[in-house]
């Protein structure tokens, strides 16, 4: 795993933990399915990702599979960052 | 009557949520609030929701945020809803404020226009009584986020006409929603029951029986609710919950609706829930 991915995961995890008032989070846990967060949080998460990682989330990106867990969200951010760098 | 434009009075949590829902369903929206600052914040939030709501509801039409922005007018001038075909009012749960608004709306709007009162507890019959069109006043209790809810609680005032109920049914069908029609007594069904949960949950925390997290986990993990009562109170706004409890207490004169002192203390401390960044929980 790259240093960037680890750092993305930490940032994302800390944002989610703040929201759910817990101190630990399994990076593979499916946060929506497990009821840790709800649909309102999804909109906040998108805003947070755009601001924190300077990415632009497009309509085609709006697939819940990308945002199920800390791992999958970090992978999504990583791909978006790669798009930016290759553009 | 064909409804193509809707005046949304109040750009707070519910006004924004309803505006998003209306824009997704092709209506022209005139959103009114007291200050440009509130309207700017409302516009930003509405646009965020227009961009991202498809993530949580796949069946929503894909709309271009720039086009959606063309379909909403933001104003601090109430008379600008004068050309709207329908009104949805979401101002604060304060009778003095609502009364003033309805008296003005009655003068501003065309005689055939119906008023949807989005209230938690205030009597629809009472709202109707300060207008010259009580048959066209109906309660429309939307829940947040409006765009994700398939139904709303619709409240018949004493004089609400069958024609108004039919019109609202047609309007809601265009918004892909169904009306659950109930009679007009304070708190209707939803808030008369849910505020007992929220208030008693606050007492439980005040009495140190359990932490807010534990209370909410019991409702979510044992009862299967999507949200616990204290998360819900934070989402609604602690000040709004207190106001609704006061209306319920005053209306029924029943001590079961006496507001938990800790809720009042939270309001005094500015811990209003999600909108202020802190309530029972702290928000990023």
């Amino acid at each position: 795993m790259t240093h960037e991915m680890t750092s993305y995961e930490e940032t994302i995890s800390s944002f989610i933990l703040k929201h759910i008032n817990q101190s630990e989070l399994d990076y593979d846990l499916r946060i929506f399915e497990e009821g840790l967060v709800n649909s309102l949080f999804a909109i906040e998460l998108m805003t947070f990702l755009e601001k924190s990682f300077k990415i632009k989330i497009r309509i085609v990106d709006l697939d819940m599979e990308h945002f199920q867990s800390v791992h999958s969200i970090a992978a999504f951010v990583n791909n978006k960052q790669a798009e930016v760098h290759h553009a | 009557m064909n409804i193509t434009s809707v005046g949304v009075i109040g750009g707070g949590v519910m006004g924004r949520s309803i505006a998003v829902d209306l824009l997704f369903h092709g209506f022209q929206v005139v959103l009114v609030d007291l200050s440009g600052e509130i309207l700017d914040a409302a516009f930003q939030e509405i646009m965020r929701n227009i961009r991202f709501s498809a993530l949580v509801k796949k069946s929503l039409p894909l709309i271009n945020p720039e086009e959606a922005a063309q379909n909403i007018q933001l104003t601090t001038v109430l008379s600008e809803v004068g050309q709207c075909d329908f009104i949805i009012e979401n101002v604060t749960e304060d009778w003095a404020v609502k009364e003033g608004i309805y008296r003005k709306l009655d003068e501003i709007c065309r005689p055939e226009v119906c008023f949807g009162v989005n209230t938690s507890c205030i009597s629809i019959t009472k709202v109707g009584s300060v207008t010259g069109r009580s048959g066209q006043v109906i309660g429309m209790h939307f829940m947040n986020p409006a765009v994700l809810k398939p139904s709303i609680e619709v409240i018949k005032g004493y004089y609400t006409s069958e024609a108004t109920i039919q019109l609202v049914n047609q309007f809601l069908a265009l918004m892909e929603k169904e009306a659950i029609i109930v009679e007009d007594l304070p708190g209707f069904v939803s808030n008369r029951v849910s505020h007992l949960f929220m208030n008693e949950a606050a007492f439980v925390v005040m009495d140190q029986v359990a932490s807010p997290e534990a209370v909410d986990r019991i409702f979510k993990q044992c009862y299967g609710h999507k949200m616990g009562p204290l998360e819900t109170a934070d989402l609604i706004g602690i000040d709004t919950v207190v106001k609704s409890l006061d209306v319920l207490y005053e209306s029924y004169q029943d001590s079961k609706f006496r507001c938990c002192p800790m809720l009042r203390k939270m309001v005094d401390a500015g811990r209003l829930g999600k909108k202020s960044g802190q309530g029972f929980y702290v928000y990023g």
Side-chain angles (χ1 to χ4, degrees):
Chain A
M1 182 178 295
T2 64
H3 171 68
E4 282 83 5
M5 274 291 280
T6 312
S7 140
Y8 297 161
E9 283 173 347
E10 282 167 6
T11 308
I12 293 159
S13 165
S14 119
F15 176 70
I16 297 169
L17 284 170
K18 215 174 190 181
H19 182 86
I20 60 175
N21 274 283
Q22 289 184 19
S23 53
E24 280 180 16
L25 180 62
D26 177 345
Y27 286 3
D28 283 319
L29 186 74
R30 294 173 79 84
I31 56 172
F32 288 94
E33 283 175 19
E34 293 298 324
L36 243 62
V37 293
N38 59 23
S39 51
L40 285 169
F41 177 75
I43 310 287
E44 285 177 40
L45 178 64
M46 297 303 100
T47 311
F48 167 78
L49 295 177
E50 282 200 336
K51 274 193 188 157
S52 302
F53 300 106
K54 309 271 184 285
I55 56 173
K56 178 90 176 165
I57 298 172
R58 297 192 303 254
I59 287 176
V60 290
D61 299 320
L62 297 178
D63 182 340
M64 207 39 134
E65 273 309 307
H66 295 314
F67 308 106
Q68 284 296 352
S69 65
V70 172
H71 267 323
S72 66
I73 300 167
F76 169 79
V77 170
N78 198 41
N79 288 338
K80 293 299 285 184
Q81 295 277 17
E83 271 178 30
V84 174
H85 292 131
H86 288 119
Chain B
M1 187 178 68
N2 244 359
I3 298 175
T4 58
S5 59
V6 180
V8 177
I9 319 297
V13 174
M14 283 318 301
R16 296 171 191 192
S17 184
I18 292 165
V20 169
D21 204 357
L22 290 166
L23 290 169
F24 267 119
H25 292 95
F27 293 95
Q28 299 278 330
V29 176
V30 179
L31 180 66
V32 186
D33 209 307
L34 293 172
S35 77
E37 203 179 7
I38 297 171
L39 289 169
D40 285 346
F43 183 73
Q44 298 302 324
E45 192 176 331
I46 289 165
M47 286 302 120
R48 270 201 299 276
N49 279 273
I50 292 286
R51 285 186 60 208
F52 299 138
S53 287
L55 177 63
V56 283
K57 190 175 178 187
K58 280 283 164 215
S59 61
L60 283 172
L62 295 177
I63 58 172
N64 181 334
E66 283 160 20
E67 281 172 27
Q70 299 296 313
N71 288 333
I72 183 165
Q73 179 192 340
L74 300 113
T75 179
T76 54
V77 182
L78 187 63
S79 60
E80 291 194 18
V81 301
Q83 291 311 308
C84 290
D85 304 316
F86 195 88
I87 298 292
I88 300 175
E89 170 274 316
N90 314 274
V91 303
T92 184
E93 289 287 275
D94 181 329
W95 171 244
V97 177
K98 283 209 194 274
E99 181 183 4
I101 297 269
Y102 278 98
R103 288 191 188 279
K104 285 185 195 147
L105 285 173
D106 201 31
E107 288 170 13
I108 293 164
C109 297
R110 300 194 306 270
E112 70 274 21
V113 169
C114 293
F115 298 162
V117 189
N118 189 15
T119 175
S120 301
C121 294
I122 289 177
S123 160
I124 306 308
T125 307
K126 192 172 175 182
V127 172
S129 75
V130 300
T131 72
R133 58 180 91 192
S134 51
Q136 293 156 239
V137 176
I138 189 163
M140 295 177 76
H141 187 205
F142 286 85
M143 317 278 168
N144 190 28
V147 82
L148 297 185
K149 307 290 179 186
S151 301
I152 77 164
E153 187 181 33
V154 167
I155 306 106
K156 273 164 54 183
Y158 189 83
Y159 291 109
T160 305
S161 69
E162 277 308 310
T164 301
I165 294 168
Q166 263 186 28
L167 179 78
V168 164
N169 274 326
Q170 289 163 8
F171 172 52
L172 289 174
L174 294 175
M175 293 180 77
E176 300 175 278
K177 292 193 197 308
E178 277 185 34
I180 300 172
I181 298 173
V182 303
E183 296 293 334
D184 185 21
L185 271 181
F188 324 121
V189 173
S190 55
N191 283 303
R192 186 167 165 184
V193 178
S194 67
H195 279 64
L196 287 174
F197 271 129
M198 288 185 274
N199 197 35
E200 205 56 33
F203 272 114
V204 160
V205 172
M206 187 178 80
D207 294 343
Q208 299 181 319
V209 176
S211 66
E213 291 84 357
V215 172
D216 284 338
R217 279 180 61 208
I218 286 169
F219 275 80
K220 289 191 289 188
Q221 293 171 9
C222 305
Y223 284 153
H225 291 196
K226 279 195 177 165
M227 289 177 79
L230 299 173
E231 286 173 299
T232 307
D234 269 3
L235 178 63
I236 294 171
I238 305 299
D239 51 341
T240 304
V241 171
V242 167
K243 279 182 185 160
S244 296
L245 282 165
D246 286 345
V247 171
L248 288 166
Y249 182 79
E250 196 181 319
S251 304
Y252 292 102
Q253 296 289 306
D254 188 330
S255 61
K256 72 184 173 200
F257 293 114
R258 83 278 183 238
C259 177
C260 173
M262 192 180 68
L263 289 173
R264 286 198 201 282
K265 191 171 174 182
M266 288 171 75
V267 173
D268 291 341
R271 285 178 55 170
L272 306 181
K274 202 165 181 192
K275 62 186 170 188
S276 72
Q278 193 173 4
F280 285 99
Y281 299 95
V282 178
Y283 301 90

